[in-house]
Amino acid sequence: MNYTDAIALAKAENEEGFNYLYESTYKSKYYLALRYMKDEDLAKDVLQDAYIKAFAKLDTLCNPEVFSSWFGQIIANTAKN
């Protein structure tokens, strides 16, 4: 599966799509959040909030193949706020 397929599934509210997006990005995006927050618990909170925001706004993503960088920007903005 790739991001395009996963996002199409997620938009159709298929859990498989959400699972793929989560599992394929969690580790690297956790470390990104940790770099911003410098605290493991706060990084996990930021990451959880960012996933909720990203999954709610999947319909605004024009190019599904850039999901990882788009999501990274959501993490950065969430951490700053």
Side-chain angles (χ1 to χ4, degrees):
M1 185 178 305
N2 59 30
Y3 287 136
T4 301
D5 296 337
I7 289 173
L9 288 172
K11 284 180 178 179
E13 297 185 19
N14 184 318
E15 191 174 325
E16 221 179 302
F18 292 113
N19 286 340
Y20 177 83
L21 294 172
Y22 176 82
E23 291 171 7
S24 66
T25 58
Y26 178 80
K27 191 174 183 179
S28 66
K29 298 312 178 191
Y30 167 73
Y31 289 113
L32 176 62
L34 187 58
R35 273 190 268 150
Y36 280 101
M37 302 311 295
K38 311 271 191 267
D39 176 273
E40 289 183 14
D41 290 331
L42 292 175
K44 288 177 184 176
D45 289 344
V46 164
L47 193 58
Q48 181 178 2
D49 290 347
Y51 274 113
I52 291 168
K53 290 175 185 178
F55 288 166
K57 297 289 186 178
L58 281 177
D59 58 331
T60 66
L61 181 60
C62 296
N63 180 0
E65 289 305 313
V66 300
F67 175 79
S68 184
S69 59
W70 177 75
F71 183 52
Q73 190 62 48
I74 293 172
I75 291 169
N77 291 337
T78 303
K80 291 174 187 175
N81 292 331

